[in-house]
Amino acid sequence: MRISKKIVLFSLLGLCLVFTAFRNNDKYFLIAKNLDIFAAFYRELNTYYVEDLPPEKLMQRGIEAMLEETDPYTDFVPEEELDELRFMATGRYGGVGTSIYTDGEWTSITDVYEGSPMAKAGVKAGDIIVSLDGKSAKNMEQDEVSRFLKGNPGTTLSIVLRHPISNVEKTYKIVREDINVKPVSFTGYVQKDVGFIKMTQFTESSAEQVQAAFEKLKKDNPQLKGVILDLRGNPGGLLEEAVALSNIFIEKNKLIVSTKGKVKSWDREYRTAQTPIDVNIPLVVLTSRSSASAAEIVAGAVQDLDRGLVVGQRSYGKGLVQTTRPLPYNAKLKVTTARYYTPSGRCIQAIDYSHRNEDGEADYVPDSLRKSFVTAGGRPVKDGGGIEPDAKVDNMMLSQVAITLLRKQYIFDYATQYYYAHPSVKGPAEFDLTDEEFEAFVKFLDGKDYSYKTRSEEALENFRSTASREKYYDGLAKEFEALQQKMKHDKKQDLLKNKTEIRQLLEEEIMNRYYPQVGRIEKSLSWDKDVEEAVALIGNADKYRQLLGKKN
C-alpha cells in the first residue's frame, strides 16, 4: 500500500511538472509565434503598400499600442529623451535655470533659479523672449522654446529679451550649466518653536538635504517643539531616498517598505540602516492628492510605525515600483516590476490596472475591496487608496474668477508691474497688500477679458443639454431663462466677493519676485489651513498622542 501511494504521488508530481513545462513552453511559443507574425506583417506591408511608410513612426505606434495594455508608468524612453529620465533621478539637467509660460504670441520668463546662468545675467521674471539663437520666438510653441533653453553644459545660447515695462530689447549670451533643482525648496519656522521643511522631489541626496535642514532648525532653536515635513505635491522619485529620509526620524533596523513582483529574486525589504537624528520630536507629514510614490512611502512609514501624524488630504495612491531596462541604440524601457508595501503590509495603489472595463479603462479600487491593516500601535489603516490622513483638512477650492486670473496671467502681470514700481518691500512674513493696492489691481483689469462661467452656470448649462435631449426644455424655457438671468454674475462684484483669496495670490506672486522660490512659500504659510492644523496638533500634546492611539 505504501509503495503504491508513493508511485501515485510521484506520478502526480511528474504530471504537474509536465503541465507546468507545457504551460511555460506554450507561453514562449505564443510569444515567438506572434513576433514572427509581426515581423512578416511589417515586411509585407512595407514592401507592397502603395505609399512609403516611415519605419520609425510605424514602430513607435506599435510600441505605444503595446504600452496601452500596461500602466501609465511603464514607458519607452528613446535616446533623445534620456535627459528627462536623468532629471527625475538626479534633479539635474543641462540648461539656463528658468521656468517659462507661453501665452498667446509670446513666452515669458516666470521663474529664475537662484545661482543659475539666467540669474547671473540679471534676467528677471516677466522678461519676454523675443528670439532664440537668431530665430524669432513669436508664436513658438512652449515645448520648442524649452528645447532651445536646454542643452549640454558649456554650450552658449543667444537670447533676446524684452523688458516688460520699458519694452527695451537686450541680447544675452548665456552659457548653459548643469542645473541642480534643489529638492528642499524651503526651510524655516511657522512659529518660533515649530520647524517647517518643504520637499519637492526624491532625487539623489535629497534625504541628506532634509537631514541638513532639520539639523539646522534644531541648532538654531534648541527649544524646537516639533517639525512639519511638507510633501504636498511631491510626485516621488527614488525609493532608496524615501527610506533614507524616514531614517532621520525612525530608529535603526525598522522595516520602511517592501517590494514584491513577478521576478521573486527581485523582492526586497528596505530597512533603516543608520542611527536616527531624532525619534522623539513631534512630527507631522503634510500630504495632498498629488503626493505620490516615494512621498507616500515616507508618509506610510511614519503612520504605520506611529512615529508621527499625517495631515491634509488623501494621497494619490501610487504603490508601483519602476525599473529601467536597457534597449538597443541607447533607448530604455521604464517598466513596472513590483508593488510596494508599507510596514503594516498594505499596498496603497489606488487604481487597478490589471482589471479594465469594456472600454479598456482602469478604475479605482472600490471601498468594498479595500482591506484593513493595523499600525504598530494597533490603529486601523486601509490599503488600496493612498495614505488617508490622521487629521483630514478639506482641500481649498479656488473660485472661478481666481482660476481665470491665474490662467490669463493677470496676477503674474500685475506682480511684474508692482515689482518695478517698488524697488524694495518688507519681507514675506510682514508684507501685506493694502486696500489701495488691491483697488489698483481692480483698475488694472479694466478692459481686460477675464470672462468665465461659474460652476453654477456650468451646472445650469448641463441641465439645459439634458432637458433638451429628453424633450423637457421647451416647457421649461421661460423658467430657465429667468434663472439664468438671476445667476448672471458681475465680474467686478466677484472680484470683491473673492477679495481675500485673490489678494493672497497677489501677495504670493509679488513676494516671489523679491525672494525667488522661497518668497511664495513663506508668504503662503500665514493662511495655510494644513499648516494651521499641524501647528495646532504639535501644540496640543494630548490631542497629538490621542490621534496616535497612545494613552496620555
Side-chain angles (χ1 to χ4, degrees):
M1 181 66 71
R2 290 177 184 174
I3 294 173
S4 61
K5 282 184 177 179
K6 285 183 179 179
I7 291 171
V8 171
L9 177 62
F10 286 136
S11 298
L12 288 172
L13 285 172
L15 282 171
C16 287
L17 290 171
V18 168
F19 284 129
T20 302
F22 176 77
R23 283 199 300 270
N24 285 337
N25 288 337
D26 189 48
K27 178 182 177 183
Y28 292 126
F29 168 73
L30 287 174
I31 292 172
K33 172 187 171 182
N34 284 283
L35 284 173
D36 281 346
I37 292 172
F38 183 84
F41 177 85
Y42 174 72
R43 182 174 63 249
E44 297 298 311
L45 182 68
N46 185 61
T47 302
Y48 297 111
Y49 186 67
V50 66
E51 303 287 351
D52 284 337
L53 296 170
E56 189 172 357
K57 186 176 181 180
L58 214 60
M59 290 300 171
Q60 180 69 33
R61 291 273 181 88
I63 289 171
E64 289 170 358
M66 281 191 281
L67 290 173
E68 286 178 5
E69 298 299 313
T70 67
D71 58 57
Y73 314 110
T74 296
D75 200 8
F76 169 70
V77 185
E79 182 179 13
E80 58 270 21
E81 294 178 15
L82 287 180
D83 283 347
E84 293 295 326
L85 203 61
R86 174 175 173 254
F87 174 71
M88 289 170 63
T90 66
R92 295 178 179 273
Y93 70 94
V96 296
T98 188
S99 296
I100 56 173
Y101 180 79
T102 301
D103 182 25
E105 294 180 332
W106 299 103
T107 298
S108 298
I109 305 293
T110 56
D111 281 286
V112 180
Y113 303 146
E114 184 181 2
S116 69
M118 284 289 218
K120 293 172 188 174
V123 175
K124 301 289 185 183
D127 287 351
I128 300 160
I129 300 174
V130 177
S131 70
L132 295 154
D133 285 337
K135 184 176 181 179
S136 173
K138 187 176 182 180
N139 294 319
M140 189 181 284
E141 294 289 335
Q142 185 166 314
D143 286 347
E144 187 178 357
V145 175
S146 182
R147 282 193 292 272
F148 269 101
L149 298 177
K150 293 177 180 177
N152 292 327
T155 58
T156 301
L157 170 70
S158 177
I159 182 171
V160 178
L161 297 174
R162 182 189 305 131
H163 194 280
I165 305 301
S166 68
N167 288 323
V168 172
E169 295 182 3
K170 183 178 177 180
T171 302
Y172 296 83
K173 298 290 184 183
I174 308 290
V175 179
R176 298 181 182 90
E177 295 179 8
D178 191 26
I179 306 299
N180 184 11
V181 179
K182 296 177 181 178
V184 176
S185 57
F186 179 79
T187 306
Y189 298 94
V190 184
Q191 294 180 348
K192 64 180 181 179
D193 52 5
V194 178
F196 181 88
I197 301 172
K198 171 72 175 175
M199 189 191 183
T200 57
Q201 56 190 347
F202 285 79
T203 50
E204 288 178 358
S205 303
S206 55
E208 287 182 13
Q209 292 188 39
V210 173
Q211 180 172 325
F214 178 54
E215 288 177 332
K216 185 177 188 306
L217 288 172
K218 290 188 69 175
K219 181 181 178 182
D220 292 346
N221 185 0
Q223 305 304 314
L224 197 66
K225 290 184 179 178
V227 63
I228 301 168
L229 178 62
D230 187 357
L231 299 182
R232 291 174 299 177
N234 189 315
L238 301 178
L239 181 149
E240 291 82 359
E241 291 298 322
V243 177
L245 190 153
S246 302
N247 200 171
I248 297 169
F249 305 102
I250 294 171
E251 61 192 38
K252 187 176 179 179
N253 203 34
K254 286 289 185 180
L255 177 66
I256 299 300
V257 64
S258 57
T259 61
K260 298 175 185 177
K262 186 163 63 176
V263 183
K264 297 304 176 186
S265 60
W266 287 4
D267 290 356
R268 284 194 62 184
E269 287 189 347
Y270 295 83
R271 294 179 177 272
T272 49
Q274 307 296 326
T275 301
I277 303 301
D278 194 323
V279 296
N280 295 313
I281 192 168
L283 170 67
V284 172
V285 178
L286 301 183
T287 60
S288 68
R289 289 297 296 168
S290 50
S291 302
S293 185
E296 294 176 293
I297 289 176
V298 173
V302 168
Q303 188 176 64
D304 281 6
L305 298 173
D306 298 306
R307 173 59 187 88
L309 297 175
V310 178
V311 170
Q313 298 83 49
R314 188 170 79 174
S315 65
Y316 183 80
K318 180 180 181 291
L320 304 175
V321 182
Q322 285 71 50
T323 305
T324 56
R325 303 291 297 166
L327 296 174
Y329 300 98
N330 296 320
K332 299 278 187 183
L333 168 64
K334 181 165 72 75
V335 56
T336 297
T337 53
R339 292 180 175 84
Y340 75 72
Y341 298 81
T342 66
S344 67
R346 56 182 169 146
C347 178
I348 51 84
Q349 176 63 25
I351 299 177
D352 183 5
Y353 294 104
S354 61
H355 297 90
R356 298 172 183 265
N357 60 24
E358 292 178 357
D359 297 325
E361 296 175 348
D363 206 350
Y364 286 90
V365 177
D367 285 343
S368 59
L369 295 181
R370 294 179 65 193
K371 298 175 184 176
S372 294
F373 296 78
V374 292
T375 69
R379 292 186 297 148
V381 288
K382 284 192 171 185
D383 69 357
I387 303 295
E388 295 273 6
D390 301 302
K392 185 178 179 180
V393 181
D394 290 336
N395 194 19
M396 293 294 291
M397 294 286 289
L398 286 177
S399 64
Q400 288 296 95
V401 63
I403 293 170
T404 303
L405 293 173
L406 286 169
R407 184 171 52 82
K408 295 270 190 176
Q409 290 289 91
Y410 293 142
I411 286 176
F412 178 85
D413 291 341
Y414 181 76
T416 300
Q417 288 194 12
Y418 190 98
Y419 174 75
Y420 285 106
H422 300 80
S424 62
V425 295
K426 294 178 180 178
E430 297 82 30
F431 176 79
D432 289 304
L433 205 64
T434 65
D435 288 338
E436 291 76 17
E437 287 168 337
F438 185 83
E439 280 302 314
F441 172 67
V442 174
K443 289 180 182 177
F444 164 81
L445 293 174
D446 282 348
K448 291 181 170 61
D449 176 24
Y450 57 101
S451 56
Y452 57 92
K453 286 183 179 179
T454 64
R455 292 184 179 91
S456 298
E457 287 174 317
E458 289 174 351
L460 196 61
E461 284 293 328
N462 290 333
F463 169 75
R464 178 165 66 174
S465 298
T466 303
S468 296
R469 283 198 307 271
E470 296 179 348
K471 306 282 193 292
Y472 290 119
Y473 179 70
D474 289 344
L476 298 170
K478 287 185 179 179
E479 289 87 344
F480 178 88
E481 288 167 8
L483 184 58
Q484 190 177 46
Q485 198 62 34
K486 284 182 180 180
M487 289 176 62
K488 191 172 278 186
H489 60 280
D490 182 321
K491 291 192 297 183
K492 194 162 186 177
Q493 283 303 311
D494 282 356
L495 286 175
L496 299 177
K497 186 168 65 176
N498 297 286
K499 179 179 178 179
T500 299
E501 69 177 29
I502 294 170
R503 189 177 193 157
Q504 290 170 354
L505 293 170
L506 284 166
E507 290 175 358
E508 288 178 24
E509 186 60 44
I510 289 169
M511 284 297 94
N512 199 53
R513 301 308 173 88
Y514 296 92
Y515 308 94
Q517 283 79 65
V518 300
R520 180 183 287 121
I521 298 171
E522 187 174 355
K523 185 61 197 172
S524 69
L525 293 179
S526 57
W527 49 70
D528 191 317
K529 297 298 182 185
D530 294 345
V531 173
E532 185 180 311
E533 177 68 14
V535 171
L537 288 171
I538 289 172
N540 186 337
D542 289 343
K543 184 68 179 294
Y544 181 89
R545 290 178 61 81
Q546 179 189 340
L547 286 176
L548 282 175
K550 297 179 180 179
K551 294 181 180 179
N552 296 323

